[in-house]
Amino acid sequence: LPVYDPALAPQEVRVLRQRFRNPVGLAAGFDKQGEAVDGLYKMGFGFVEIGTVTPKPQEGNPRPRVFRLAEDEAVINRYGFNSHGHAAVEHRLRARQETQLRLTGAGMPLGINLGKNKSSTDAAADYVAGVRTLGPLADYLVVNVSSPNTPGLRDLQGKAELRDLLTKVLAERDLLPCERKPAVLVKIAPDLTMQDKQDIASVICELGVDGLIVSNTTVSRPSSLRSRQHTEPGGLSGKPLRELSTQTIREMYSLTRGRDRADLGVHAGVACAVLTLHLPTGQVPIIGVGGVSSGRDALEKIRAGASLVQMYTALVYHGPPVVGAVKRELEELLREQGFKNIMEAVGADHQC
């Protein structure tokens, strides 16, 4: 397959067996309960990701649990997967299923981000339940193993734990009765060692996971932070996360480039074979998130290896007009830098 299609509209992306009319999506955490999906599409997003949704309803952490760091254009949250639960969200999405089918057909897919209950003793069972209940309503599903606000959750990014979890999730996805089965992506933290990243890449390639979301919030606190709220526990998002998430995208793109798996520490002879329309054979699609508030930020992540980008904290500081502004600036920059479309720019920084 060609890397890009000259017939594509400049902002159109074809990846994850879907068409995205533009590459700018809404990250999970904004519409946790699937209550505002149609209004969010009207803001101009190319795709919307709801959640995180847990199997049983849960309150999340005590309030206050979200803090604006206005001087830094950042947010710290420790929500802790406050969720109405699978049944409530399924009911809500089922009521607009025909609408979503039309939106998806028009290039505006829906993602659903899955999590585990805090009290759960079987994490894999929680994610499998999410696939079974919400998978038929999603164009893609996200296995969120990277929130810093649920005790023990990030431990699921370990190699053995992740392999076990994803094997079960993919098997359940393959059993879904729907004709078009959802893609499965894994959302990872920016606070990983290089060994962690190599292990995740190895498992992703070995199992044929459809994609990665890079990255969740960070528990690190850059020395540049000026707000007095910066010492609050939780995950940091917004501008101070931008460079860290982009660097993680760059590394994960390099680690999942379709090379022989011997390079990733597993037995030789099998390539990283996730087949995606219009990306080089073997390249795992990445959705880049973290500090995107301009077209320049978006293109930085695309050139680093992201096929799509998401935003959230920028909406807090700039409101709905930021969506159109990002898309306009992105299209201007593509033209200035000589790219015919987004697909041609994906991973451009890696080319010799």
Side-chain angles (χ1 to χ4, degrees):
L1 289 173
V3 173
Y4 70 93
D5 180 344
L8 284 175
Q11 297 223 11
E12 189 175 325
V13 177
R14 296 190 184 179
V15 78
L16 302 171
R17 300 184 293 278
Q18 298 288 343
R19 179 172 75 89
F20 294 78
R21 71 189 303 173
N22 75 70
V24 182
L26 178 70
F30 189 94
D31 186 8
K32 286 174 173 282
Q33 323 301 348
E35 297 170 296
V37 181
D38 296 299
L40 291 165
Y41 280 115
K42 288 174 184 172
M43 283 167 53
F45 287 110
F47 61 109
V48 169
E49 184 176 317
I50 68 157
T52 297
V53 190
T54 59
K56 298 172 187 171
Q58 63 177 32
E59 289 291 323
N61 291 325
R63 301 182 186 194
R65 56 192 184 185
V66 60
F67 307 89
R68 287 190 185 206
L69 283 64
E71 300 93 326
D72 306 296
E73 279 195 41
V75 166
I76 291 173
N77 92 80
R78 51 173 181 266
Y79 282 115
F81 286 173
N82 50 308
S83 177
H84 291 176
H86 288 169
V89 173
E90 181 200 15
H91 178 77
R92 219 166 268 144
L93 295 180
R94 187 84 55 195
R96 57 172 298 283
Q97 192 170 11
E98 292 303 315
T99 300
Q100 187 57 53
L101 286 170
R102 287 194 295 274
L103 287 164
T104 298
M108 289 176 275
L110 177 71
I112 303 179
N113 187 298
L114 304 175
K116 67 178 280 290
N117 282 113
K118 184 177 182 179
S119 61
S120 173
T121 56
D122 186 346
D126 280 21
Y127 289 99
V128 165
V131 174
R132 190 182 306 124
T133 305
L134 297 173
L137 295 159
D139 295 306
Y140 72 85
L141 293 169
V142 182
V143 178
N144 184 355
V145 289
S146 51
S147 167
N149 300 314
T150 295
L153 189 78
R154 285 189 167 189
D155 296 343
L156 295 173
Q157 294 173 118
K159 191 172 186 179
E161 294 85 353
L162 190 64
R163 183 190 284 115
D164 179 64
L165 172 61
L166 292 176
T167 298
K168 292 172 180 174
V169 164
L170 292 169
E172 190 66 31
R173 187 273 309 271
D174 293 342
L175 289 172
L176 288 175
C178 44
E179 189 179 333
R180 291 192 71 179
K181 294 178 174 36
V184 170
L185 293 84
V186 178
K187 186 166 185 174
I188 66 170
D191 311 308
L192 297 166
T193 67
M194 184 50 71
Q195 185 63 56
D196 291 335
K197 292 170 203 172
Q198 289 170 351
D199 288 346
I200 290 168
S202 169
V203 171
I204 294 293
C205 294
E206 175 189 345
L207 298 182
V209 173
D210 297 298
L212 283 165
I213 300 188
V214 184
S215 68
N216 215 313
T217 57
T218 180
V219 294
S220 69
R221 296 291 184 266
S223 57
S224 59
L225 293 178
R226 291 177 294 149
S227 170
R228 61 184 177 83
Q229 305 267 40
H230 79 274
T231 56
E232 290 287 348
L236 175 72
S237 62
K239 279 197 172 178
L241 177 59
R242 194 190 88 229
E243 289 181 20
L244 181 59
S245 70
T246 301
Q247 181 57 28
T248 310
I249 290 165
R250 189 169 282 116
E251 290 164 352
M252 295 311 296
Y253 182 89
S254 293
L255 287 167
T256 57
R257 287 191 78 177
R259 65 175 98 171
D260 191 296
R261 288 197 300 168
D263 293 345
L264 298 174
V266 284
H267 66 271
V270 187
C272 180
V274 180
L275 301 180
T276 57
L277 188 62
H278 297 299
L279 277 180
T281 299
Q283 180 62 59
V284 178
I286 294 171
I287 300 178
V289 54
V292 174
S293 63
S294 69
R296 191 167 297 279
D297 296 338
L299 186 54
E300 177 183 73
K301 281 180 164 46
I302 290 164
R303 291 187 60 119
S307 298
L308 303 162
V309 298
Q310 290 176 322
M311 49 203 302
Y312 178 170
T313 304
L315 285 172
V316 173
Y317 291 102
H318 304 288
V322 75
V323 183
V326 167
K327 293 191 295 183
R328 285 190 298 274
E329 186 184 1
L330 177 58
E331 191 155 343
E332 288 170 16
L333 288 168
L334 283 171
R335 201 162 41 243
E336 281 175 24
Q337 295 183 20
F339 298 115
K340 296 183 182 69
N341 52 50
I342 295 286
M343 300 303 302
E344 199 175 335
V346 175
D349 288 350
H350 298 262
Q351 287 153 24
C352 300

